[in-house]
């Protein structure tokens, strides 16, 4: 990079101040979060990641120095974007994995929903929702939106696994019913606008890095 294109010392300082402000906003969002998947926390996280990246770039361009910060993500694994410059439609692909950590809690919650809706009872006075995990999951996911289940998963006896969200660009919406038989089959990595992953592996990598620093 030429000297003319380098950021000024004031611009580097301003980027550093932006990181500090983003840190404060992130901490405030975490302290006030309404659940494990509070959108305000995600927004603050993304803002902090962007501020940290901008500071890192300016610091390197001006002083040839880097920061120790690294925001976990999978964007580097994606191929170059080859979708439309001005997308007129979006497909949001979401996968969330759960373990049934507390089957009794899951069955009790499903039975409560069945009772409220007046589902027919079996010979023993309980509905299938309260005795079958398969039926209980059908009741739970039929009653609540996926985002609400994500924010209340512990209440339903579930334990979070990995999750991912892909935002894919398109020229126009598909025809109604076109992809329902295979909803994820046509996902094109080259049309991914952004991707957000959550995984315990990121925490493990962070712990490993801290152990290496302490060694």
């Amino acid at each position: 990079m030429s000297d003319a294109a380098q950021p000024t010392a004031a611009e580097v300082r301003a980027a550093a101040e932006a990181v500090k402000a983003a840190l404060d906003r992130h901490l405030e969002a975490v302290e006030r979060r309404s659940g494990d998947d509070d959108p305000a926390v995600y927004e603050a996280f993304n803002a902090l990641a962007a501020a940290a990246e901008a500071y890192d770039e300016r610091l390197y361009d001006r002083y040839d120095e880097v920061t120790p910060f690294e925001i976990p993500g999978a964007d580097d694994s994606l191929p170059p974007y080859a979708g439309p410059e001005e997308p007129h439609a979006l497909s949001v692909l979401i996968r969330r994995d759960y373990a049934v950590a507390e089957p009794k809690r899951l069955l009790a919650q499903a039975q409560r929903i069945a009772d409220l809706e007046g589902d027919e009872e079996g010979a023993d006075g309980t509905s299938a929702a309260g005795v079958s995990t398969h039926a209980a999951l059908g009741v739970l996911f039929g009653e609540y939106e996926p985002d609400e289940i994500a924010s209340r998963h512990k209440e339903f006896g579930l334990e979070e696994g990995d999750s991912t969200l892909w935002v894919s660009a398109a020229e126009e919406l598909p025809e109604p019913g076109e992809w329902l038989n295979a909803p994820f089959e046509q996902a094109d990595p080259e049309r991914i606008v952004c991707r957000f992953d959550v995984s315990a592996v990121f925490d493990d990598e962070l712990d490993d890095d801290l152990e290496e620093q302490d060694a």
Side-chain angles (χ1 to χ4, degrees):
M1 179 178 288
S2 67
D3 291 340
Q6 287 182 350
T8 65
E11 289 173 332
V12 178
R13 173 63 60 180
E17 294 299 326
V19 173
K20 297 175 187 178
L23 276 168
D24 288 337
R25 289 193 294 271
H26 182 260
L27 179 56
E28 290 175 2
V30 170
E31 291 174 336
R32 299 176 181 176
R33 67 182 178 185
S34 59
D36 291 341
D37 293 301
D38 190 330
V41 176
Y42 281 116
E43 292 174 6
F45 175 91
N46 291 332
L48 176 57
E53 182 178 1
Y55 171 62
D56 193 85
E57 290 178 354
R58 286 167 175 75
L59 185 71
Y60 181 80
D61 291 342
R62 177 71 186 182
Y63 299 110
D64 199 25
E65 291 288 345
V66 297
T67 68
F69 309 133
E70 181 177 356
I71 306 298
D75 286 349
D76 291 342
S77 65
L78 294 174
Y81 178 71
E85 292 186 8
E86 299 292 338
H88 296 290
L90 296 174
S91 292
V92 180
L93 309 179
I94 302 174
R95 172 173 173 170
R96 296 187 178 112
D97 287 354
Y98 298 96
V100 180
E102 299 180 68
K104 290 183 179 179
R105 180 183 291 272
L106 171 65
L107 295 174
Q109 290 285 5
Q111 182 63 53
R112 182 183 62 82
I113 296 170
D115 291 343
L116 290 173
E117 295 185 351
D119 287 1
E120 294 184 4
E121 296 180 350
D124 60 354
T126 61
S127 68
V131 297
S132 164
T133 300
H134 182 275
L137 289 171
V139 170
L140 178 67
F141 282 87
E143 177 70 15
Y144 297 105
E145 294 291 333
D147 287 344
E148 184 169 3
I149 293 176
S151 65
R152 300 173 59 186
H153 63 278
K154 292 181 180 178
E155 179 183 336
F156 300 133
L158 303 176
E159 181 179 306
E160 283 184 313
D162 288 356
S163 65
T164 187
L165 182 152
W166 296 14
V167 179
S168 179
E171 297 286 0
E172 57 186 18
L173 284 177
E175 293 296 324
E178 181 178 329
W179 49 258
L180 290 178
N181 290 332
F184 303 107
E185 189 175 67
Q186 298 179 2
D188 184 351
E190 293 188 350
R191 286 179 172 259
I192 301 300
V193 177
C194 54
R195 172 177 172 174
F196 303 97
D197 297 320
V198 177
S199 174
V201 71
F202 296 145
D203 297 332
D204 294 340
E205 291 174 353
L206 179 60
D207 292 339
D208 292 341
D209 291 341
L210 292 175
E211 290 176 1
E212 291 177 0
Q213 293 174 10
D214 293 337

